[in-house]
């Protein structure tokens, strides 16, 4: 038991009253003095710690009040759908032919066509598009990446391939190059190391040939890495293919952010859905102390959140990472896993890898019709009306209501045959394990119940006991509501 300094005299008095004298009384008195000094030492640090905590808290509050709005990190979009369901939902979408609008021989298809764009060069658009493609491959998708920059292709610098690796088939179509499971094509692979001194009309012809003349085969996702700006190539893409959405890459400075607004305006005009904005080089993290420091922020950041919120577009920050754009100077076999960044298993613990994984999921969720809430609000689910809803009619028949109110019947056999669960499709190979033709012709198959799953899917229980989970966007496209969904106002 400790004794306070003010009680030392009392201890001496107690010693006298107890009959102690000489050494005994002196010992008790010294014990009291030592105990009092120990208490004083122990009390001093606690006062100091308390004062430090109070000072830090006050300083933090002062910093928060005095920090300009543009220096506060903007709200980030959140993921809502489980990854295993993302693959199921995307593969339920109908395949679109990758041919010129108006017709032509179908040699390649994709369920989603995504565009990666930027208002200006040098913001890391190609780095983002390459890593998004390989991240989607890791999640289980069949992915292709097309670099459409004729004058300054970046893909050959990020994914180095052997020289003279581009070939054609007997039909005269370009054969894509497989590297690490992703099909690749770029004008830089066709004419490696050459400066492209090509006039605009010829460049547009090359773009058209790359868009429709590459034999990709059946794909889940085609990612198009467009050149920076809002020029002819973006218009050619919009006029040639049915693009499902776009990813805009920017940095935190006035020029880049002003071009984000221009890009959003262009996509609105050509009816390409803006899905996500990736703010590259948003911060840097010290690998020693893990302190994160914002980078390149100016007053233009103040209006970014309002701009994206008004257009219902999500934002994901990608930190600066020195290893993100590193690649060997010569070709390396795909099994070396040296590039791109997300293929290297040693990078999975890095903040940039996690940010790219999040961006990939958010892009796919938005393409499926879901745009989630942000960290600054407790909003969950989409910020727009769902693309479709499903209900059971009398007799177990199904009916889809599209956004805008149109009602369309849906065949029970057609929906049941497109089920992508593990019982119907091999998750490793993608092989269909059911007789789809027989299921489509089964007139006895009926829907028993339909239950809403979040804001993005429905679960249907069939009369044969099977259960199917289907994305709402897939429902809309199954009944021919794709164009109506794309043109509807949010």
């Amino acid at each position: 038991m400790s004794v306070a300094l003010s009680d030392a005299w009392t201890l001496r008095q107690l010693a006298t009253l107890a009959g102690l004298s000489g050494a005994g009384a002196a010992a008790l008195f010294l014990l009291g003095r030592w105990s009092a000094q120990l208490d004083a030492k122990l009390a001093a640090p606690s006062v100091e710690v308390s004062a430090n905590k109070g000072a830090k808290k006050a300083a933090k509050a002062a910093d928060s009040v005095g920090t300009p709005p543009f220096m506060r990190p903007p709200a980030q979009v959140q993921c809502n759908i489980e990854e295993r369901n993302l693959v199921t939902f995307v593969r339920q979408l109908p395949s679109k032919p990758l041919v010129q609008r108006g017709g032509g021989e179908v040699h390649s298809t994709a369920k989603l066509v995504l565009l990666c764009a930027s208002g200006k060069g040098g913001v890391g658009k190609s780095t983002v598009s390459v890593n998004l493609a390989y991240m989607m491959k890791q999640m289980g998708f069949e992915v292709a990446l097309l670099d459409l920059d004729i004058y300054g292709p970046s893909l050959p610098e990020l994914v180095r391939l052997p020289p003279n690796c581009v070939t054609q088939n007997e039909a005269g179509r370009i054969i894509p190059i497989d590297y690490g499971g992703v099909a690749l094509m770029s004008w830089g692979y066709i004419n490696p190391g050459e400066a492209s001194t090509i006039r605009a009309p010829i460049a547009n012809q090359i773009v058209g040939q790359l868009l429709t003349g590459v034999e990709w085969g059946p794909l889940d996702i085609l990612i198009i890495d467009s050149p920076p700006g809002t020029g002819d190539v973006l218009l050619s893409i919009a006029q040639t293919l049915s693009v499902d959405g776009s990813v805009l890459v920017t940095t935190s400075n006035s020029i880049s952010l002003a071009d984000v607004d221009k890009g959003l305006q262009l996509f609105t005009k050509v009816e390409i859905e803006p899905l996500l904005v990736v703010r590259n080089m948003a911060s840097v993290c010290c690998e020693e102390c893990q302190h994160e420091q914002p980078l390149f922020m100016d007053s233009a950041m103040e209006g970014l959140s309002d701009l994206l919120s008004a257009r219902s577009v999500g934002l994901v920050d990608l930190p600066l990472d020195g290893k993100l754009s590193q690649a060997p100077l010569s070709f390396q076999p795909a099994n070396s896993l040296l590039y791109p960044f997300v293929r290297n298993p040693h990078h999975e613990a890095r903040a940039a890898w996690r940010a790219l994984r999040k961006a990939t999921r958010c892009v796919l969720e938005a393409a499926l019709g879901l745009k989630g809430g942000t960290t600054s609000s407790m909003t969950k689910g989409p910020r727009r009306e769902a693309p479709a809803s499903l209900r059971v009619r009398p007799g177990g028949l199904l009916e889809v209501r599209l956004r805008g109110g149109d009602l369309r019947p849906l065949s029970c056999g057609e929906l049941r045959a497109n089920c992508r669960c593990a019982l119907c499709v091999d998750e490793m190979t993608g092989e269909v394990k059911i007789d789809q033709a027989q299921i489509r012709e089964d007139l006895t198959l009926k829907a028993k119940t339909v239950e809403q799953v979040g804001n993005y899917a429905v679960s249907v229980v069939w009369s044969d006991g099977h259960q199917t989970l289907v994305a709402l966007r897939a429902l809309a496209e199954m009944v021919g509501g794709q164009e109506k969904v794309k043109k509807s106002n949010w």
Side-chain angles (χ1 to χ4, degrees):
M1 181 180 67
S2 62
V3 183
L5 182 61
S6 58
D7 292 333
W9 181 85
T10 305
L11 284 173
R12 189 171 186 178
Q13 293 294 95
L14 287 174
T16 303
L17 293 174
L20 295 176
S21 60
L28 187 57
F29 175 74
L30 292 175
L31 176 62
R33 176 179 291 179
W34 173 83
S35 179
Q37 292 172 348
L38 180 62
D39 273 356
K41 290 181 180 180
L42 292 174
S46 65
V47 173
E48 183 180 352
V49 169
S50 177
N52 288 340
K53 286 183 177 180
K56 289 180 180 179
K57 187 174 181 180
K60 186 176 181 180
D63 289 342
S64 177
V65 173
T67 302
F70 66 84
M71 289 299 292
R72 300 169 192 164
Q76 304 288 294
V77 72
Q78 298 299 299
C79 304
N80 295 280
I81 306 177
E82 294 183 17
E83 285 191 20
R84 59 185 179 88
N85 287 336
L86 281 175
V87 179
T88 297
F89 293 156
V90 170
R91 288 183 172 168
Q92 285 172 342
L93 299 173
S95 295
K96 296 189 292 287
L98 299 178
V99 296
Q100 183 76 33
R101 288 183 186 268
E105 182 184 356
V106 178
H107 53 81
S108 303
T109 60
K111 297 181 181 297
L112 285 176
V113 178
L114 303 177
L115 181 66
C116 192
S118 64
K120 64 181 297 296
V123 297
K125 169 185 56 62
S126 295
T127 298
V128 170
S129 63
V130 167
N131 283 282
L132 287 180
Y134 279 90
M135 190 66 85
M136 290 177 184
K137 177 60 182 178
Q138 289 185 13
M139 294 172 66
F141 294 104
E142 292 298 325
V143 187
L145 175 61
L146 174 61
D147 178 8
L148 277 188
D149 195 335
I150 306 302
Y151 297 103
S154 299
L155 184 57
E157 302 299 321
L158 297 172
V159 182
R160 297 186 180 275
L161 297 177
N164 303 318
C165 57
V166 180
T167 58
Q168 288 182 306
N169 59 16
E170 294 180 356
R173 288 189 285 270
I174 302 170
I175 303 300
I177 307 153
D178 184 293
Y179 186 85
V182 174
L184 306 172
M185 186 46 58
S186 168
W187 181 248
Y189 293 139
I190 298 173
N191 286 325
E194 295 184 13
S196 295
T197 54
I198 303 173
R199 291 190 178 273
I202 304 301
N204 286 336
Q205 292 181 18
I206 295 173
V207 167
Q209 181 68 15
L210 290 173
L211 284 172
T212 61
V214 179
E215 190 149 344
W216 304 106
L219 298 172
D220 291 325
I221 303 168
L222 170 64
I223 297 179
I224 301 174
D225 181 12
S226 69
T230 55
D232 288 346
V233 173
L234 282 175
L235 295 176
S236 298
I237 295 170
Q239 293 167 0
T240 304
L241 298 181
S242 177
V243 181
D244 294 280
S246 61
V247 180
L248 276 166
V249 182
T250 185
T251 55
S252 301
N253 59 68
S254 301
I255 298 176
S256 297
L257 294 172
D259 287 334
V260 168
D261 190 20
K262 296 176 184 176
L264 292 174
Q265 292 178 33
L266 173 65
F267 292 142
T268 300
K269 292 178 180 178
V270 298
E271 295 184 354
I272 294 178
E273 190 82 17
L275 303 176
L276 186 73
V277 170
V278 175
R279 191 166 64 108
N280 193 20
M281 296 178 280
S283 61
V284 62
C285 184
C286 175
E287 296 192 17
E288 295 295 331
C289 67
Q290 303 303 311
H291 173 71
E292 189 171 348
Q293 177 67 38
L295 292 176
F296 311 128
M297 298 182 70
D298 61 24
S299 57
M301 284 300 303
E302 190 172 357
L304 178 64
S305 297
D306 294 337
L307 172 66
L308 299 182
S309 178
R311 296 177 180 268
S312 297
V313 180
L315 175 71
V316 169
D317 280 353
L318 180 60
L320 180 66
D321 192 311
K323 298 183 181 296
L324 188 55
S325 59
Q326 287 181 357
L329 297 179
S330 60
F331 165 73
Q332 300 294 324
N335 59 9
S336 66
L337 302 179
L338 292 179
Y339 57 85
F341 174 84
V342 298
R343 295 187 69 234
N344 192 327
H346 299 294
H347 294 162
E348 294 185 9
R350 303 181 75 86
W353 192 97
R354 295 193 300 270
L356 286 165
R357 188 76 168 195
K358 178 182 178 181
T360 304
R361 293 179 59 187
C362 290
V363 168
L364 295 175
E365 289 183 11
L368 288 166
L370 176 73
K371 295 200 173 182
T374 63
T375 53
S376 66
S377 66
M378 298 306 293
T379 304
K380 297 293 183 182
R383 298 181 182 179
R384 60 168 177 164
E385 184 184 353
S389 60
L390 184 68
R391 69 175 183 176
V392 182
R393 296 170 56 192
L397 303 178
L398 291 174
E399 187 175 62
V400 176
R401 182 180 294 278
L402 296 172
R403 184 189 305 151
D406 288 356
L407 292 174
R408 306 278 179 87
L410 177 61
S411 166
C412 292
E414 182 67 24
L415 182 56
R416 171 69 175 82
N418 278 282
C419 182
R420 303 293 303 187
C421 74
L423 297 176
C424 298
V425 179
D426 189 292
E427 293 181 330
M428 298 297 294
T429 65
E431 179 186 359
V432 178
K433 300 190 290 185
I434 57 177
D435 189 338
Q436 292 180 310
Q438 181 180 355
I439 292 175
R440 287 188 176 98
E441 296 172 358
D442 186 1
L443 300 179
T444 65
L445 184 66
K446 305 295 180 184
K448 293 180 64 178
T449 62
V450 172
E451 183 180 353
Q452 187 84 10
V453 179
N455 295 291
Y456 53 87
V458 290
S459 175
V460 183
V461 177
W462 304 102
S463 54
D464 62 0
H466 191 75
Q467 185 174 358
T468 296
L469 187 67
V470 59
L472 295 178
R473 175 174 169 177
L475 286 175
E477 296 193 6
M478 284 180 189
V479 297
Q482 179 182 3
E483 290 302 316
K484 188 173 185 65
V485 170
K486 286 177 70 63
K487 296 180 181 179
S488 295
N489 294 325
W490 284 32

